Amino acid sequence: MYKNICSCDICNHKLCTKKVSIFSSLSPEQLAKVANLIIHKEYQKGDLIVMEGESMDSLVIINEGQVKAFRNTQDGREQILYIFSEGDFFGERNLLRDQASTYNVKALEKTHVCLIHKRDFQVLVKDFPDIALKVMEELCQRLDRLEHTVETMGTGTVEARVSSVLLEFADKYGKAHPKGIMIELPLSREGIAHYIGLTRETVSRKMSMLQDEGILEMLGNKKVLLLDRAALERNLE
Amino acid sequence: MYKNICSCDICNHKLCTKKVSIFSSLSPEQLAKVANLIIHKEYQKGDLIVMEGESMDSLVIINEGQVKAFRNTQDGREQILYIFSEGDFFGERNLLRDQASTYNVKALEKTHVCLIHKRDFQVLVKDFPDIALKVMEELCQRLDRLEHTVETMGTGTVEARVSSVLLEFADKYGKAHPKGIMIELPLSREGIAHYIGLTRETVSRKMSMLQDEGILEMLGNKKVLLLDRAALERNLE
DNA sequence: CGGGCACTTGATAGTAATCAAGTCCGGTGG
DNA sequence: CCACCGGACTTGATTACTATCAAGTGCCCG
């Protein structure tokens, strides 16, 4: 944790820029210059960071914490599109094109973000074209993930959807553990349901089933110990 | 139709580059230079143009015709991700990143494509950075569409899915008609089903329902006359 | 330790997939 | 031009599964 080293603004700034792949091609001096452009902001769990339809004036980088990007249908249902964590960023599309946000973003926990103003970002992109390539790289990864999601939602069984999201969380948030992979879930059962288009009851039931099959072990509501990763992968088809 | 004007290779080349938004920032002379890099190819209905996992060495631009991009699950189910028509292109992601194709592409009808080789494309992107921005623009549009698809598949009813795809086709392929909008369907019932994650029977039933409600009229299997666009839009939620 | 909220589990109902006939369209050949 | 043939589409009956409705249970935090 950087806080153990130095918690002054300068260090925070620098580390913030280092966490993000889009700046990875910059030299330390250039990074320092970028750091000067950054504004910090903190949100509490449940705070709405951006609202759908709102026009954004900054690129938002997650420095610490987690957020969900989602849309609401008129009848109140929610569809989660992305979960952004430390090092992820959003709002880039609203800066590149001049367009309002197409989704809401809400903090899932206490979250520290770094903001780069539109005009600064556009200058950066011009000065360092590699940044555009990195942004493109990130857009491609999101396309890959969404294509995979569409495939799973279109052709997959409910088991496949639940297995798929658990594997995604295992890769992103999992930590080695003597008995398997320990996963700290970023979402509640209901949140998971809204991520894969199911109801909380169905998610509950399928996870209980996976536990009965010895594939995983639920530790309270927020942790899952994945015992048999291969079995989940077999569920994908 | 350009064929009525001139069908020589030069003209075809030029028109091919003009149809594509990614080259829209180039001057006529620059376009002519690009045209010289282009290789033409023709596919018949049903031909597989690219296979999932195959590594591509070219950007593919549709000059005439239509193709579908799709994935197959192990149990044989198909999920259509994109339908590309005249002026659309694909393969850009495999050139920017060095990665195999993540989907199959098959001609839906006789299709004429223009190819630009990887090395040529990479030089072009370097010489004309605006091309990268245009590609990014296109990636953003695909993200928008996929996000919309995920939302519809996750929270929408079956009526909403069918209505959504019909509206998409109306916008893309619809032509004004005294009684409404005439749509030439790019896909069979089964194709539509694979596009929105349903079975052909369900698509059939829902379309018959829409006809009974006076919202549309089916003219043979390949044409639909949309009589009440607003009603379809109301179905979205 | 207690209260509230999230989660689990159970029963029921609604809906789409599946299975199974038919019907229609479009193309081909006489 | 018409008759025929095959593939795509439609329609119906049944089954399977998940959403919904409804109680409980348990975790977490004050």
Side-chain angles (χ1 to χ4, degrees):
Chain A
M1 235 27 212
Y2 65 85
K3 282 189 174 167
N4 297 331
I5 305 167
C6 171
S7 62
C8 73
D9 270 0
I10 307 288
C11 289
N12 279 342
H13 281 146
K14 283 188 184 166
L15 285 159
C16 175
T17 56
K18 269 190 189 161
K19 281 177 184 168
V20 183
S21 69
I22 53 171
F23 296 133
S24 61
S25 62
L26 302 186
S27 70
E29 301 81 48
Q30 289 166 337
L31 275 179
K33 253 175 68 179
V34 173
N36 288 329
L37 303 172
I38 284 177
I39 298 164
H40 288 259
K41 217 161 182 178
E42 193 146 298
Y43 294 93
Q44 298 306 313
K45 178 176 176 171
D47 286 355
L48 194 62
I49 301 176
V50 177
M51 206 165 68
E52 193 179 343
E54 191 181 331
S55 63
M56 294 175 66
D57 59 356
S58 297
L59 177 77
V60 183
I61 300 167
I62 314 288
N63 190 28
E64 199 182 345
Q66 287 184 335
V67 304
K68 64 175 177 181
F70 64 102
R71 288 191 189 156
N72 275 324
T73 57
Q74 284 179 335
D75 59 338
R77 295 170 75 98
E78 168 180 310
Q79 177 64 44
I80 297 177
L81 295 168
Y82 305 103
I83 297 166
F84 294 128
S85 311
E86 188 174 311
D88 292 329
F89 56 88
F90 61 91
E92 75 293 334
R93 274 194 284 162
N94 312 305
L95 303 188
L96 297 168
R97 314 201 279 169
D98 227 350
Q99 174 188 297
S101 176
T102 54
Y103 41 69
N104 307 283
V105 180
K106 189 177 267 192
L108 290 170
E109 56 187 49
K110 186 174 161 179
T111 297
H112 183 111
V113 303
C114 303
L115 303 173
I116 299 185
H117 196 277
K118 184 173 187 160
R119 58 170 179 273
D120 296 328
F121 180 66
Q122 283 168 345
V123 170
L124 278 174
V125 169
K126 220 166 216 169
D127 289 351
F128 306 107
D130 276 358
I131 292 178
L133 287 179
K134 293 289 179 183
V135 169
M136 203 159 0
E137 188 91 12
E138 174 69 20
L139 293 180
C140 287
Q141 278 176 35
R142 289 189 201 166
L143 274 175
D144 281 345
R145 204 194 61 73
L146 281 183
E147 286 170 3
H148 178 254
T149 301
V150 168
E151 183 187 352
T152 304
M153 288 176 104
T155 66
T157 64
V158 167
E159 281 84 11
R161 297 202 216 180
V162 174
S163 299
S164 176
V165 74
L166 287 173
L167 285 169
E168 182 186 334
F169 289 161
D171 290 340
K172 250 171 129 175
Y173 310 111
K175 297 206 170 118
H177 181 280
K179 288 165 71 184
I181 305 172
M182 180 65 75
I183 309 172
E184 183 102 14
L185 297 175
L187 296 173
S188 64
R189 297 286 181 277
E190 185 162 25
I192 294 173
H194 290 158
Y195 194 41
I196 54 180
L198 300 173
T199 60
R200 60 171 169 270
E201 291 96 329
T202 300
V203 172
S204 242
R205 269 185 262 269
K206 293 303 170 185
M207 285 185 63
S208 297
M209 224 182 67
L210 292 172
Q211 180 165 242
D212 292 345
E213 291 170 6
I215 294 174
L216 55 78
E217 205 171 303
M218 299 191 266
L219 305 164
N221 289 332
K222 292 181 178 161
K223 282 185 187 175
V224 165
L225 179 55
L226 178 54
L227 302 168
D228 186 353
R229 194 181 203 286
L232 277 191
E233 277 161 359
R234 281 194 296 277
N235 274 339
L236 292 185
E237 307 259 356
Chain B
M1 241 21 218
Y2 66 85
K3 282 190 176 167
N4 298 332
I5 305 168
C6 170
S7 62
C8 72
D9 270 1
I10 308 286
C11 287
N12 281 343
H13 281 143
K14 283 189 181 164
L15 284 158
C16 176
T17 56
K18 270 190 186 160
K19 280 176 183 168
V20 182
S21 68
I22 52 171
F23 296 133
S24 62
S25 62
L26 301 186
S27 70
E29 299 81 48
Q30 290 166 339
L31 276 180
K33 254 176 67 180
V34 173
N36 288 328
L37 304 172
I38 285 177
I39 298 164
H40 289 260
K41 218 162 182 178
E42 193 146 298
Y43 294 93
Q44 298 306 313
K45 178 174 176 173
D47 285 355
L48 195 62
I49 301 175
V50 177
M51 207 165 67
E52 193 179 343
E54 191 181 331
S55 63
M56 295 174 65
D57 59 357
S58 298
L59 177 76
V60 183
I61 300 168
I62 314 288
N63 190 28
E64 200 182 344
Q66 287 185 335
V67 304
K68 63 175 178 181
F70 63 102
R71 288 190 189 156
N72 276 323
T73 56
Q74 283 179 335
D75 58 338
R77 295 171 74 99
E78 167 180 311
Q79 178 65 42
I80 297 178
L81 295 168
Y82 305 102
I83 297 166
F84 294 128
S85 313
E86 188 175 310
D88 292 330
F89 55 89
F90 61 90
E92 74 294 334
R93 274 193 285 161
N94 312 305
L95 303 188
L96 297 167
R97 316 200 279 167
D98 229 351
Q99 174 188 296
S101 176
T102 54
Y103 42 69
N104 307 284
V105 180
K106 188 177 268 191
L108 291 170
E109 57 188 45
K110 186 174 160 181
T111 297
H112 182 110
V113 304
C114 303
L115 303 173
I116 299 184
H117 196 276
K118 185 173 186 161
R119 59 170 178 273
D120 296 328
F121 180 66
Q122 283 168 346
V123 170
L124 277 175
V125 169
K126 219 167 216 169
D127 289 351
F128 307 106
D130 276 358
I131 292 178
L133 288 179
K134 293 288 178 182
V135 170
M136 203 162 354
E137 188 92 12
E138 174 69 20
L139 294 180
C140 287
Q141 278 176 33
R142 289 189 202 168
L143 273 175
D144 281 346
R145 201 193 64 72
L146 281 182
E147 286 170 3
H148 177 255
T149 301
V150 169
E151 182 187 352
T152 303
M153 287 175 100
T155 67
T157 63
V158 168
E159 279 86 10
R161 295 203 217 181
V162 174
S163 300
S164 176
V165 75
L166 287 174
L167 285 169
E168 183 187 335
F169 289 162
D171 290 340
K172 250 171 130 175
Y173 310 111
K175 298 207 169 116
H177 181 280
K179 288 165 72 184
I181 304 171
M182 180 65 75
I183 309 171
E184 183 103 14
L185 297 174
L187 296 174
S188 65
R189 298 286 181 277
E190 185 163 23
I192 294 173
H194 289 159
Y195 193 41
I196 56 180
L198 299 173
T199 60
R200 60 171 172 268
E201 292 97 329
T202 300
V203 172
S204 240
R205 270 186 260 269
K206 294 302 171 184
M207 283 184 64
S208 297
M209 225 181 66
L210 293 172
Q211 179 165 243
D212 293 345
E213 291 170 5
I215 294 172
L216 56 77
E217 206 171 303
M218 297 192 267
L219 305 165
N221 289 331
K222 291 182 179 161
K223 282 185 187 176
V224 165
L225 178 55
L226 179 53
L227 301 168
D228 187 353
R229 195 182 202 284
L232 277 192
E233 277 162 358
R234 281 194 296 276
N235 273 340
L236 293 184
E237 305 259 358

